[in-house]
Amino acid sequence: READCLLEGVRLLNVFTGEVTSTNVALGAGRIVGIGDKYRRARETFTLGGDTSSRASSRGTSTWRAA
């Protein structure tokens, strides 16, 4: 099933190792339903960081870039 919303380029902190990685977060029904680069499709997409805007716009989804 396709997620309701996809946040691309999220900076995720591993609180155990202190490592910060860039990844995608899929949301559905107001909850996190998946984390990782394998999540690439959703009804609406928001690009938060990184250089993924061309991938999002090529799918015809909404794209929003954080300031």
Side-chain angles (χ1 to χ4, degrees):
R1 178 176 170 218
E2 187 175 69
D4 296 331
C5 178
L6 181 68
L7 305 177
E8 291 184 323
V10 172
R11 292 184 60 181
L12 186 67
L13 171 66
N14 182 325
V15 296
F16 297 107
T17 66
E19 179 183 19
V20 177
T21 57
S22 181
T23 191
N24 297 336
V25 176
L27 306 171
R31 297 182 179 188
I32 295 173
V33 295
I35 297 174
D37 291 334
K38 68 180 179 180
Y39 297 97
R40 295 184 180 189
R41 294 185 55 198
R43 292 185 191 137
E44 193 166 21
T45 299
F46 297 92
T47 301
L48 304 178
D51 190 17
T52 57
S53 60
S54 61
R55 187 175 70 216
S57 60
S58 68
R59 288 194 311 270
T61 58
S62 301
T63 301
W64 176 82
R65 185 169 297 281

